[in-house]
Amino acid sequence: MEEDKHSLKERKVITIGIVSELTGLTVRQIRYYEERKLIFPERSNQGSRKFSFSDVETLMEIANKIEEGVQTHEIRREMAKKKKGVTEKEVRNRMLKGQIRAQFGDPKM
Amino acid sequence: MEEDKHSLKERKVITIGIVSELTGLTVRQIRYYEERKLIFPERSNQGSRKFSFSDVETLMEIANKIEEGVQTHEIRREMAKKKKGVTEKEVRNRMLKGQIRAQFGDPKM
DNA sequence: CGGTTTATGTTAGAAATTCTAACATGTTTT
DNA sequence: AAAACATGTTAGAATTTCTAACATAAACCG
């Protein structure tokens, strides 16, 4: 199934320095979590990482787990499980938008 | 009146290179449109520009006007006029979200 | 018409950001 | 105790961004 490459949340446009500011994590940590396959930034032509708001959100969740003492290893497993729930939420959300469109015409959301 | 600094659309997190890719404008053009007060990026501590998705949208509109042969000068005037309409749309949108919340509970939108 | 402004390119040098890779180290796991 | 984890730090290279200045074709305007 296709990811939504176009919602603002999913677009990979934020550089690592800004992600660092936004999350409070060091760039070292962010790179390390990528290495551990917890996040998947895209790369620009020259190889610099580009993150989405969604990635930023994920990183904040990761930061919490880490503080709780959970290992990346375990976080990775939990995230795999959660994937299903997320997909369901997306479907629900799409349905919701359908309803809105039906009621109000096409409000460019 | 306060701007909404928190919606994804308004957050200033995109560097000029990426804005350039996203809009097809050169960085020279983007800087120039700032100089002409058509856009208002924030600055990082060290002085590099940070744009929002909203800025990107605006830049695309600007690019169209420019192609039509409209001068920055004129575009600036048009944008001032449009400001009012935008505010109205924001209000309407907020109302819409209120309705949705009322119907479906709080769908984290 | 001719001077002025507009819009953009180009160049130059400095400062900032990002990248990879390696080494160090205290802390958990196993 | 050995291995793995999580981060910091350092180093050098590559990329990006910044400002400022100069150049110029095109558009505007008195």
Side-chain angles (χ1 to χ4, degrees):
Chain A
M1 208 186 298
E2 274 290 326
E3 294 296 321
D4 186 353
K5 275 334 201 194
H6 285 73
S7 73
L8 300 192
K9 244 179 105 168
E10 307 304 329
R11 289 192 92 164
K12 308 269 184 172
V13 296
I14 314 178
T15 53
I16 197 166
I18 295 183
V19 172
S20 173
E21 282 177 25
L22 256 28
T23 60
L25 296 167
T26 65
V27 307
R28 180 66 169 95
Q29 287 176 303
I30 297 167
R31 293 198 191 108
Y32 180 64
Y33 300 149
E34 177 188 20
E35 189 182 316
R36 303 315 300 267
K37 316 264 194 218
L38 299 181
I39 47 172
F40 306 90
E42 286 179 4
R43 295 297 181 115
S44 79
N45 294 338
Q46 279 60 222
S48 43
R49 276 166 266 248
K50 297 190 295 184
F51 301 81
S52 64
F53 279 117
S54 186
D55 292 329
V56 171
E57 251 184 31
T58 304
L59 282 168
M60 288 174 145
E61 289 171 25
I62 293 171
N64 288 335
K65 301 285 184 183
I66 294 283
E67 267 189 74
E68 291 171 28
V70 185
Q71 289 189 190
T72 53
H73 171 256
E74 179 54 26
I75 296 175
R76 172 139 181 61
R77 185 133 13 80
E78 287 175 27
M79 280 176 39
K81 217 180 288 173
K82 210 192 258 180
K83 183 81 195 294
K84 184 171 154 290
V86 169
T87 307
E88 277 162 14
K89 191 166 122 204
E90 272 163 16
V91 170
R92 188 179 61 85
N93 201 33
R94 210 174 322 263
M95 287 175 58
L96 216 164
K97 288 187 184 178
Q99 296 233 20
I100 292 161
R101 236 182 321 271
Q103 269 206 271
F104 299 94
D106 188 3
K108 223 172 266 77
M109 303 188 55
Chain B
M1 207 185 298
E2 274 291 325
E3 295 295 322
D4 186 353
K5 273 338 200 195
H6 285 72
S7 73
L8 299 192
K9 244 179 104 167
E10 307 305 329
R11 289 193 92 164
K12 308 269 186 175
V13 297
I14 314 180
T15 53
I16 198 166
I18 295 183
V19 172
S20 172
E21 282 176 26
L22 256 29
T23 60
L25 296 166
T26 64
V27 306
R28 179 67 170 95
Q29 287 176 303
I30 297 166
R31 292 199 192 108
Y32 180 64
Y33 300 148
E34 177 188 18
E35 190 182 316
R36 304 315 301 265
K37 315 267 194 215
L38 300 181
I39 47 172
F40 307 91
E42 287 181 3
R43 296 297 182 116
S44 78
N45 293 339
Q46 280 61 222
S48 42
R49 276 167 264 251
K50 297 189 295 183
F51 301 82
S52 65
F53 279 115
S54 186
D55 293 328
V56 171
E57 251 183 31
T58 303
L59 282 168
M60 288 173 144
E61 290 170 25
I62 292 171
N64 288 336
K65 301 284 184 185
I66 294 282
E67 268 188 74
E68 292 171 27
V70 185
Q71 290 188 190
T72 54
H73 172 257
E74 180 55 27
I75 295 175
R76 172 137 182 62
R77 185 135 10 82
E78 288 176 26
M79 279 176 39
K81 217 180 289 174
K82 210 191 258 180
K83 183 81 195 293
K84 184 172 154 289
V86 168
T87 307
E88 276 162 15
K89 191 166 123 203
E90 271 163 16
V91 170
R92 188 179 61 86
N93 200 34
R94 211 174 320 265
M95 286 174 59
L96 217 164
K97 288 188 183 176
Q99 295 232 22
I100 291 160
R101 236 181 320 272
Q103 270 205 270
F104 300 94
D106 188 3
K108 223 173 267 75
M109 301 189 58

